[in-house]
């Protein structure tokens, strides 16, 4: 059985290679079922202090580190920065990020599914909305996995959240997440028809202990 091909969308201040390192346990957990392909966001982000990085990315830069921090859009168009909690009228950079995904699908696709983390998970919800509105004919994702996702607080993004998306979705979040508190991830659930949920007791990371394998496998098996 050929593995499912999944496009991976990293979090704010990460990049494709650092996110690949951070999802090593998940790749190992699902290696028989999934081939993960990693994309870097088009926008460079200003370096942050080590405390801010620790908060957003979890302790310690893995090999491949976050020397080249990237983002999918900015909520503060003056400072060119992003905060999930920031309410804004408009954002900057989303169109270029959609173009980057479109190009990845053309060149490296097709993909069975898409997986996003944090800002990347919020972006995945938007990409699924564009697909269902038939605005991106290149997209043909059959499922979405959103880890520490949230609903964008930017006014111009509200068009992505109704009606509920039909794409099968698995929403994964940590009950001790201090970057994207679990209530923010729960607020995204009504934007999806029949969302499946996997919670874990930890913080802001992609959980991949053997205890989590059944939830991932049960979700993925219907697409195999």
């Amino acid at each position: 059985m050929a593995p499912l091909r999944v496009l991976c969308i990293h979090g704010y201040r990460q990049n494709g290679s650092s996110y690949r390192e951070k999802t090593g346990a998940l790749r190992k957990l699902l290696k028989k079922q999934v081939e993960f392909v990693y994309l870097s966001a088009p926008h460079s982000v200003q370096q942050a202090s080590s405390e801010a990085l620790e908060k957003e990315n979890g302790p310690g830069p893995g090999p491949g580190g976050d020397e080249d921090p990237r983002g999918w859009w900015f909520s503060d168009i003056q400072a060119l920065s992003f905060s999930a909690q920031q309410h804004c009228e408009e954002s900057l950079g989303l169109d270029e990020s959609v173009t980057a995904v479109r190009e990845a699908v053309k060149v490296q696709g097709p993909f069975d599914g898409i997986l996003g983390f944090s800002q990347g998970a919020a972006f995945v919800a938007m990409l699924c909305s564009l697909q269902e509105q038939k605005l991106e004919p290149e997209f043909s994702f059959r499922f979405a996995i959103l880890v520490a996702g949230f609903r964008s607080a930017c006014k111009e993004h509200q068009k992505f959240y109704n009606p509920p998306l039909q794409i099968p979705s698995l929403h994964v979040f940590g009950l001790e997440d201090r970057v994207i508190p679990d209530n923010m991830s729960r607020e995204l659930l009504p934007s999806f028809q029949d969302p499946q949920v996997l919670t874990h007791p930890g913080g802001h990371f992609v959980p991949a202990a053997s205890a989590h394998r059944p939830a991932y496998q049960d979700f993925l098996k219907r697409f195999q």
Side-chain angles (χ1 to χ4, degrees), residues 87-98:
H87 289 264
C88 57
E89 291 293 318
E90 56 183 359
S91 68
L92 187 68
L94 193 67
D95 291 347
E96 293 87 340
S97 291
V98 172

Side-chain angles (χ1 to χ4, degrees), residues 35-90:
E35 177 196 346
F36 293 104
V37 177
Y38 293 81
L39 179 65
S40 286
H43 305 292
S44 286
V45 173
Q46 288 174 331
Q47 289 283 6
S49 69
S50 56
E51 300 86 75
L53 282 175
E54 177 111 353
K55 185 174 174 234
E56 281 177 29
N57 281 332
D66 295 315
E67 288 91 48
D68 178 23
R70 302 242 150 198
W72 301 102
W73 77 89
F74 299 112
S75 54
D76 186 326
I77 59 180
Q78 261 74 47
L80 297 185
S81 63
F82 169 77
S83 164
Q85 281 84 1
Q86 181 175 16
H87 289 264
C88 57
E89 291 293 318
E90 56 183 359

Side-chain angles (χ1 to χ4, degrees), residues 9-10 19 27 33 40 58 118 144 155 161 173-174 179 194 211 218:
I9 305 293
H10 62 75
Y19 186 48
R27 284 187 286 119
Q33 285 146 301
S40 286
S118 200
K155 199 168 263 183
Y161 299 115
F173 45 88
V179 180
D194 195 25
D218 287 352

